[in-house]
Amino acid sequence: MTQSPPAEIDIADMTWPPPPYRSPVPPVTGTDGVRRFDGITYATTPGYRPRLLDVQVPAGEGPFAAVVWIHGGGWLDGDRRYPPPTVPAALLHGAVLAAGLALVSIDYRHSLEAPFPAQLHDVKAAIRYVRTFADTLGIDPDRIGVWGESAGGHLAALAGLVGPDSPQGAALEGAQGVGSGETGVRAVVDWYGVSDLVTLADHPMPAMPTGGDFPDPYEALLGATVAERPDLARAASPVTYAGGSTPPPFLLVHGTHDGLVPYSQSEALAAALTSAGGEVTLQPVEGADHIFLGSSDIPAIVEGGVTFLARHLGARV
C-alpha cells in the first residue's frame, strides 16, 4: 500500500511565541441536537499548560444566554469536565441545557502553578474569549452568568464583583488570552465559596488526606500565609468588593454543617451584598457538609441554580 506524502507545513502559519489563544474548534453535533465545542484553548502562557474550555450549546436557534461553570478543588485540583462527586455531570449539564442555556466549562491555573490573582485572570480571560467568539459559538454576549462550587464559587463571586473600577481593578482584570474587553456578568451562583480569607484564617482546617504532603489551600493560593500577606488576602476576598457599584444578583447556597468552608462565609457575603443594595438570596442546605454531603435532594439544589440563572439571563425555564 502506497502512503501519501506528508502534507507540507506552511512556515508562514507558524508563530513564536505561540498565540495567546486559539479560535474555536469545529463543533460536533449530537443526536440530541446539542453542539459541543471541546478543548478550546482560550489562553496560553509560556511555561504553563494551555487553559481550555468546553462549550455546549442547546439545540435550536440562538444566540443563547450562557453560564460559565467554574470547578472547585481548593484551587489546587479539579477539572472543568467534572462537578463535585455529589453532583453527576449529566444532571448538572442536562439541567442547564434543558433550560435553554449554553454551558461553558473552564479550567484555570491551580495555585501551585501560579498564586492569586492568576485564577481570577483566567476566569476573566474565559469571559472575554466567549464574548469575542460569541457569534461562532452561538452565544449572546450580553447574557452571561457564572456558577461555581467551592474554590470555583469563590472565583465566581469575584468575577461578579471585580471590575476595572474596583480597588486594584486593572491588576485583577489581567491580560491573559484576549487581552482586553468587557468581563462583567449578569448573575452569579456561588455554592459554598470562601468570601473572606482574613476571617477564615481563624477557622481550624479539618484533617487533610494522609499519604502525602497536602498543602494548606489558602497559603498555596496566596503564596504566603494570611498573616504574612493580609493585603493579598483582602484582595482575594469577595467581601472586599461587595460595597462597590451595584452588584449583579447573587444566589448563595451553602451547607449549614460545612466543616471546610463555614456557613458563616456565605452569611458574611450576603450581608455585604445586601448593604450595597444588591439582590441576594442565601439558601442554607440544612445539615449538609461541604459539596452538599448529607443532602437528600441534590437535583432540587441544581434546579434552583438553573432556575435562578435562567430568570436573570432571560432564558426559558
Side-chain angles (χ1 to χ4, degrees), residues 33-37 55-59 64 97 101-103 137-139:
V34 173
R35 289 182 296 131
R36 294 173 169 84
F37 300 80
V55 182
Q56 299 180 64
V57 183
F64 296 94
L97 292 166
L101 296 164
L103 179 65
L137 299 171
I139 286 173

Side-chain angles (χ1 to χ4, degrees), residues 49 52 68-84 104-110 123 147-156 192:
R49 62 192 167 104
L52 305 180
V68 176
W69 169 260
I70 311 172
H71 70 77
W75 311 281
L76 287 160
D77 197 5
D79 185 311
R80 71 187 186 280
R81 297 168 295 177
Y82 307 117
V104 180
S105 305
I106 71 170
D107 283 333
Y108 53 87
R109 283 170 289 178
H110 295 154
V123 172
W147 186 352
E149 62 95 14
S150 196
H154 161 261
L155 294 172
Y192 45 85

